[in-house]
Amino acid sequence: MTNSIHDIGESACILAIGTNTNEAHPVISLEVLRSLRQKGGKLIVVNPREIGLVRHATLWVRPRPGTDVPLLLGMAKVIVDDGLLDKTFISERCENFEEFETTLKDIDLPTVSEITGVPVDRMIEAARMYATSKPAAILYTMGITQHSHGTDNVMAIANLAMLTGNIGKPGSGVNPLRGQNNVQGACDMGGLPDVFSGYQQVGNEAARQKMEAAWGIQLNPVRGLTLTEIFDAAHRKDIKAIYLIGENPVLTDPDSNHVQQALEHLDFLVVQDIFLTETAKLADVVLPSTSSVERDGTFTNTERRVQRVRKAIEPIGDSRPDWLITCQIAQRMGGKGFDFSHPSEIMDEIARVTPSYGGISFARLEKIGLQWPCPTPEHPGTAILHTQVFTRGKGKFTPVLYRPPAEVPDKEYPLVLTTGRRLFQYHSGTMSRKVKGLNLIVKEGTVEINPVDAAALGIVHGDNVRVTSRRGEVTAKASVTEVSQRGVVFMDIHFAESAANVLTNAALDPVAKIPEFKVCAVKVEKNH
Amino acid sequence: MATDKINLTIDDTQVAGKVGMTVLEVARENGIYIPTLCYHRQLTPYGGCRMCIVEIEKMRGLPPSCTTPATEGMVVKTNTPQLQDFRRGVLEFILTEHPHVCLICDRRQRCKPFDICLRSASVTERCVLCPENGHCELQEVSDYVGIKEIKLPYTYKREEVYRNDPFFDRDYNLCILCGRCVRMCQEVRGAAAIAFIQRGSRTVVGTAFGHPLQESGCQFCGACVDACPVGALAERARKWAGEPDREVVTTCPYCGVGCQLKVELKGDRIIEVLPHEENETNRGQVCVKGRFGIQEFVYHQDRLKTPLIRRDGQFVEASWDEALDLIASRLGNYSKDEVAVIASAKCTNEDNYVAQKFGRAVLGTNNIDHCARL
């Protein structure tokens, strides 16, 4: 997030696009309500589904899945044509505007309307509302990113924010809401194939030399494989061993059957987890790790705030915290610099080698979390990014073009499947499915289908249905509801018994390598 | 620039506040107790219970301090015989419909845990049967106001007790209609799953058409339970667990919001997880998973407790040394392009830093990733 969670409540207008905020980030949706109720703010919800937030929305824009780029371009065109752009911000803070403006000339609103299914006047209303109510914040999540054109979606959002000067000010910003408790931190720490901690490129000579000096060992300059590439390589038997910590890719990655086969092809698989997950069942060695209430450490949340995780109880059974297990393996393999006795010592090393975490220590985090960049021990942390200059200097307008999703409906697979989370379950259910009360409320996965589509297929609410894509099939109960628009079905990702990712498409965004979870073609039949 | 500081006199003490604060807020900030029942710091003032009335010089009547803005030079009295009389009168009305043996029983000071109640109260109304007994705001207020006896006739409401919803019980026989749960659900959570239903003396908190909570739009965030001043709403799992003896503040392990939680412990056992208030992230709010979804998985019987090694297709329990030695010797056999490390968005920064350091410095590979894109 460029801004902070509490800052959202200060917005005059919130554009929530591709985010089911009240289910996936319930406490952030409270800030949205605060803006509406206490500040008289406006809320534009852009979502193909009638999510809970729609009830509170000033305006609901309902595009077809996978058509965000033309919609955002259409809105940008309205803003430019109506002269609602922030000329000072663009000329002082941005570059490449002329080229972007030229591409807008070819945009024709009726055509956009045809692609997106959004009426022209609604598009105009949304654009004007966003551009004229300041400060305006954009919230988005995986509804924007999990597409084969996810990067384009994000660029289109950034263009819209720069166009209206909604960057670097309180109550504004471009705010991707991160889905996992520490996905921000895992990225910050260099849990990525191309960067060390703090996004220092492994291919960058200076960065690598610095890390080599810190760690006292020569390092590999070639960027590694991403998660989806790792499984492809394992499938080809190029990757032979995986050391996996606390993830359940069999359920969470696209095209589950392919992932499962890839893991079976491995020569050696180590899984560290708190439960024997679907993935752990395929392992050669399973190591018991502690849950977060049994260990000390830090998580970095969606607003870049590093916060303490504190040990409340002793480890269950003979489980050990992950850092300790990894250090013990490393030391057995002759690794140097793994003799930490407490996570605070690891944070001290992180602060030494990571500029954005330079001022962070357990002592400082005792009272309140700190938002990075926090380069020095005196630095108060950074609540809003890009207030004076962008990280790269000038904000660059990037022209984007509409590309349809990798898989579109056809005769055989006539419906679009889109996937997501529910409030009462969490991700692959490793934790939430162990909680009785949560399972009482949502006990199984369902397929949400529009009443018109359901009637055409002879399906009534509660029927058992079979959903088939080019990659596999699953069965689940039908939930006939107008929450789903015509031609679109929705499934959650929480249940192994009706694993939506058996169906999803592993088509990747060329830059971010994110799979297209939000659009694939399926057919739905009543299961007799 | 004019300062926004204002000075007041409360109970003959000079205190300072800021423009925009109410008299109650200034008093609380300065450690002066004014009894309240319907007031909750996360909600807009309601002025319903009349417990917080005060006397203010040059002001008529007895204004409620929760809705009266503090102004420069105010002289406020919070505890005069007139105020206490007035409060006692209102409180007596509330207590005509709230079991109050816990307040007036002559054995109150003498009863110890596990003492058998000596029939001074009917079975359903005994103090030990209220989950809030001992930390109830109504008890606190009554003690402050000084309730010795209730002269007005008392009726037990005979409301249905709801014990079938997930996570918490609702016993509206103990409800004092302060409206904190209703306002929390509407104002802060935007769910509006509950409201006052019926009218007049039959008013009760409930759902539309008496539907179960699950069909009423309830998000089970527990904010109503935390807001309830009495024992009407109570988390079932911790109802009889007693008082925690320590508290650990930590970060929620579910989504990326990073809500700060208070883990309440009795001995080495978690009895409750509550939202933490003094922070910039969640400010006293949390969702169903953080509030009710942690203890059960932490203590679940299926937790992995020892290392497992696959032998002939079956998992066999192993010692740590055995497992770690095996991993170290096996991983050492592969070239840097044949191995990969999958780090975790669920684990701490320290876990992830060590994992990527292990991959890069020991295994020599940059094949390191996690589920950031999923």
Side-chain angles (χ1 to χ4, degrees):
Chain A
M1 290 169 72
T2 61
N3 291 47
S4 304
I5 292 172
H6 198 57
D7 198 54
I8 295 168
E10 307 294 320
S11 300
C13 177
I14 294 168
L15 173 63
I17 177 166
T19 160
N20 186 2
T21 323
N22 58 309
E23 294 209 58
H25 300 88
V27 172
I28 290 183
S29 74
L30 305 184
E31 286 295 331
V32 177
L33 292 183
R34 192 169 73 90
S35 148
L36 293 178
R37 295 193 174 175
Q38 291 179 16
K39 309 282 160 181
K42 299 189 171 81
L43 170 64
I44 308 167
V45 173
V46 182
N47 207 303
R49 299 178 60 222
E50 189 177 353
I51 56 168
L53 221 47
V54 169
R55 179 155 76 118
H56 304 285
T58 322
L59 189 68
W60 176 30
V61 178
R62 190 178 207 181
R64 296 192 182 100
T67 62
D68 306 279
V69 166
L71 177 72
L72 292 163
L73 284 175
M75 285 174 66
K77 184 180 171 67
V78 174
I79 291 170
V80 172
D81 288 355
D82 287 6
L84 299 173
L85 60 183
D86 187 337
K87 290 199 178 100
T88 332
F89 185 88
I90 295 169
S91 62
E92 283 173 8
R93 299 278 312 269
C94 306
E95 62 186 22
N96 209 31
F97 174 66
E98 287 70 26
E99 197 184 323
F100 172 68
E101 197 184 13
T102 318
T103 61
L104 288 183
K105 293 221 166 67
D106 305 330
I107 306 284
D108 162 53
L109 292 187
T111 315
V112 172
S113 173
E114 212 167 284
I115 298 170
T116 59
V118 177
V120 171
D121 53 350
R122 184 152 298 202
M123 207 160 12
I124 293 173
E125 202 185 342
R128 286 181 183 158
M129 197 180 282
Y130 173 73
T132 55
S133 327
K134 289 192 178 168
I138 300 179
L139 311 184
Y140 72 87
T141 63
M142 295 304 200
I144 281 297
T145 52
Q146 283 175 344
H147 290 281
S148 56
H149 51 269
T151 308
D152 294 346
N153 282 346
V154 175
M155 295 293 185
I157 284 177
N159 289 342
L160 209 59
M162 288 191 292
L163 207 54
T164 51
N166 274 312
I167 294 273
K169 303 174 181 110
S172 73
V174 173
N175 299 297
L177 311 178
R178 309 295 313 250
Q180 297 267 11
N181 56 330
N182 199 33
V183 62
Q184 184 66 53
C187 295
D188 297 346
M189 289 304 106
L192 295 170
D194 53 343
V195 289
F196 300 111
S197 59
Y199 308 96
Q200 308 173 80
Q201 297 286 332
V202 294
N204 178 305
E205 193 67 35
R208 199 173 61 253
Q209 278 173 3
K210 181 177 121 183
M211 297 309 290
E212 285 175 346
W215 291 348
I217 197 157
Q218 272 229 289
L219 294 169
N220 186 343
V222 186
R223 66 165 284 167
L225 304 175
T226 63
L227 194 62
T228 24
E229 290 168 342
I230 288 171
F231 291 129
D232 287 344
H235 206 269
R236 295 191 306 266
K237 301 191 179 179
D238 290 343
I239 291 279
K240 296 194 167 65
I242 293 181
Y243 173 55
L244 184 150
I245 305 168
E247 297 221 338
N248 192 7
V250 169
L251 278 197
T252 59
D253 290 32
D255 200 352
S256 298
N257 296 335
H258 176 78
V259 174
Q260 176 134 2
Q261 284 162 14
L263 292 173
E264 282 163 0
H265 286 181
L266 286 174
D267 194 26
F268 190 58
L269 172 64
V270 181
V271 174
Q272 250 163 251
D273 211 310
I274 60 172
F275 290 106
L276 196 65
T277 60
E278 289 75 8
T279 305
K281 283 177 187 155
L282 304 173
D284 295 286
V285 183
V286 179
L287 300 173
S289 69
T290 58
S291 76
S292 71
V293 291
E294 299 149 49
R295 70 171 88 173
D296 282 308
T298 57
F299 289 155
T300 305
N301 77 351
T302 183
E303 55 174 355
R304 299 166 277 108
R305 190 184 296 279
V306 186
Q307 304 187 109
R308 271 301 309 275
V309 173
R310 290 186 182 86
K311 180 175 168 176
I313 58 170
E314 289 303 314
I316 300 284
D318 205 7
S319 59
R320 293 181 182 177
D322 292 294
W323 64 269
L324 183 63
I325 303 173
T326 310
C327 285
Q328 288 173 336
I329 297 171
Q331 284 175 315
R332 275 173 163 77
M333 294 179 72
K336 295 276 182 309
F338 288 91
D339 45 357
F340 303 105
S341 64
H342 189 266
S344 62
E345 295 169 10
I346 305 176
M347 182 51 85
D348 293 341
E349 180 172 319
I350 294 168
R352 274 199 300 280
V353 300
T354 317
S356 52
Y357 278 66
I360 292 175
S361 64
F362 275 36
R364 283 193 76 189
L365 296 177
E366 202 42 54
K367 280 228 171 67
I368 197 152
L370 290 165
Q371 285 171 287
W372 66 257
C374 177
T376 61
E378 297 78 34
H379 196 282
T382 310
I384 304 176
L385 295 178
H386 319 305
T387 47
Q388 305 300 323
V389 284
F390 286 96
T391 313
R392 68 182 292 277
K394 292 231 170 185
K396 186 178 177 187
F397 280 95
T398 315
V400 287
L401 289 172
Y402 172 54
R403 283 184 291 128
E407 192 176 75
V408 290
D410 53 23
K411 262 216 171 93
E412 203 188 343
Y413 299 100
L415 296 166
V416 170
L417 170 72
T418 186
T419 62
R421 283 184 186 167
R422 289 191 191 286
L423 170 63
F424 297 105
Q425 290 289 350
Y426 186 76
H427 224 59
S428 75
T430 306
M431 288 152 40
S432 61
R433 289 195 68 187
K434 305 288 189 301
V435 182
K436 276 193 218 109
L438 294 175
N439 290 301
L440 214 63
I441 304 169
V442 174
K443 55 179 173 293
E444 58 188 349
T446 51
V447 184
E448 280 181 4
I449 183 166
N450 185 279
V452 177
D453 294 330
L457 293 163
I459 293 166
V460 293
H461 192 77
D463 271 355
N464 226 334
V465 294
R466 185 165 61 241
V467 187
T468 316
S469 79
R470 290 187 174 83
R471 291 153 294 279
E473 62 169 57
V474 296
T475 56
K477 280 220 174 91
S479 168
V480 178
T481 166
E482 283 180 350
V483 168
S484 249
Q485 60 176 273
R486 281 182 69 176
V488 178
V489 293
F490 170 84
M491 289 180 76
D492 58 70
I493 59 168
H494 309 302
F495 295 90
E497 301 84 339
S498 54
N501 286 327
V502 167
L503 307 169
T504 50
N505 192 356
L508 300 184
D509 177 272
V511 182
K513 309 282 186 191
I514 196 165
E516 189 149 66
F517 281 140
K518 297 302 183 214
V519 181
C520 76
V522 295
K523 67 177 169 197
V524 177
E525 302 153 288
K526 193 164 168 172
N527 204 8
H528 294 288
Chain B
M1 204 180 88
T3 169
D4 64 348
K5 193 182 154 193
I6 47 173
N7 300 294
L8 293 81
T9 311
I10 303 182
D11 293 342
D12 303 322
T13 314
Q14 293 290 321
V15 294
K18 282 199 211 105
V19 173
M21 286 171 92
T22 62
V23 174
L24 178 67
E25 284 166 347
V26 175
R28 291 243 161 140
E29 194 135 292
N30 288 282
I32 297 166
Y33 178 73
I34 298 176
T36 58
L37 287 173
C38 70
Y39 173 80
H40 190 284
R41 53 182 295 211
Q42 293 186 40
L43 299 170
T44 40
Y46 191 53
C49 73
R50 300 281 140 174
M51 284 300 115
C52 72
I53 47 163
V54 288
E55 287 175 19
I56 300 175
E57 274 182 24
K58 296 178 192 146
M59 223 180 212
R60 274 198 310 181
L62 305 173
S65 59
C66 70
T67 56
T68 308
T71 54
E72 177 67 34
M74 256 184 182
V75 180
V76 183
K77 290 250 185 304
T78 72
N79 187 0
T80 65
Q82 185 196 349
L83 287 170
Q84 291 290 63
D85 260 358
F86 198 97
R87 286 172 185 154
R88 209 171 291 125
V90 177
L91 203 52
E92 250 186 78
F93 273 111
I94 292 175
L95 293 174
T96 59
E97 287 201 324
H98 185 93
H100 50 259
V101 177
C102 65
L103 300 172
I104 55 167
C105 177
D106 58 351
R107 289 182 56 85
R108 190 176 169 198
Q109 303 302 325
R110 287 181 285 149
C111 265
K112 295 184 196 70
F114 311 115
D115 276 4
I116 293 165
C117 184
L118 288 178
R119 277 169 284 166
S120 19
S122 71
V123 174
T124 48
E125 296 172 32
R126 287 176 185 166
C127 59
V128 289
L129 289 180
C130 173
E132 284 294 291
N133 186 34
H135 40 100
C136 165
E137 284 182 44
L138 187 59
Q139 284 176 334
E140 188 187 0
V141 169
S142 299
D143 287 348
Y144 179 81
V145 173
I147 291 278
K148 297 264 168 5
E149 57 175 334
I150 311 291
K151 297 194 192 92
L152 299 167
Y154 162 73
T155 37
Y156 186 73
K157 287 201 266 191
R158 292 168 172 267
E159 291 292 343
E160 187 184 343
V161 182
Y162 299 92
R163 298 190 203 277
N164 295 323
D165 300 314
F167 306 119
F168 52 88
D169 290 343
R170 294 180 289 146
D171 180 357
Y172 292 121
N173 294 301
L174 298 175
C175 176
I176 55 167
L177 299 172
C178 67
R180 273 154 59 161
C181 56
V182 171
R183 287 179 288 138
M184 188 61 84
C185 193
Q186 297 184 347
E187 228 181 276
V188 176
R189 304 299 306 207
I194 48 172
F196 289 120
I197 55 174
Q198 311 287 10
R199 289 291 175 269
S201 62
R202 301 187 60 190
T203 306
V204 66
V205 175
T207 58
F209 310 108
H211 284 322
L213 278 181
Q214 287 182 64
E215 292 163 28
S216 68
C218 175
Q219 313 279 295
F220 293 94
C221 63
C224 56
V225 179
D226 298 336
C228 183
V230 293
L233 302 178
E235 182 180 349
R236 195 174 304 122
R238 67 93 63 230
K239 214 169 170 181
W240 311 115
E243 294 291 296
D245 43 39
R246 67 194 170 97
E247 174 180 295
V248 174
V249 177
T250 191
T251 305
C252 180
Y254 279 102
C255 82
V257 178
C259 292
Q260 297 297 288
L261 304 173
K262 296 190 290 189
V263 178
E264 306 288 329
L265 295 132
K266 189 166 184 154
D268 194 31
R269 186 93 191 163
I270 302 173
I271 58 169
E272 189 174 31
V273 177
L274 297 171
H276 183 256
E277 291 186 352
E278 315 296 325
N279 67 74
E280 287 294 305
T281 311
N282 54 313
R283 299 172 186 236
Q285 292 295 328
V286 71
C287 83
V288 58
K289 297 186 286 288
R291 179 71 173 77
F292 300 116
I294 292 179
Q295 300 96 300
E296 273 187 73
F297 86 75
V298 168
Y299 291 119
H300 198 277
Q301 57 187 18
D302 293 348
R303 276 288 298 274
L304 289 168
K305 296 189 181 73
T306 64
L308 302 172
I309 295 175
R310 186 182 295 279
R311 293 208 168 99
D312 307 322
Q314 295 293 318
F315 281 126
V316 182
E317 290 188 1
S319 72
W320 274 103
D321 280 336
E322 230 178 316
L324 295 174
D325 286 340
L326 175 69
I327 294 166
S329 69
R330 290 292 300 271
L331 285 182
N333 291 338
Y334 302 101
S335 79
K336 60 186 192 321
D337 297 324
E338 292 174 337
V339 289
V341 174
I342 297 177
S344 176
K346 303 272 5 131
C347 293
T348 63
N349 287 324
E350 294 72 18
D351 296 329
N352 279 291
Y353 178 81
V354 168
Q356 59 97 31
K357 184 177 179 181
F358 169 66
R360 296 191 158 109
V362 179
L363 300 177
T365 183
N366 283 317
N367 295 337
I368 298 154
D369 204 0
H370 68 284
C371 73
R373 302 169 187 84
L374 310 177

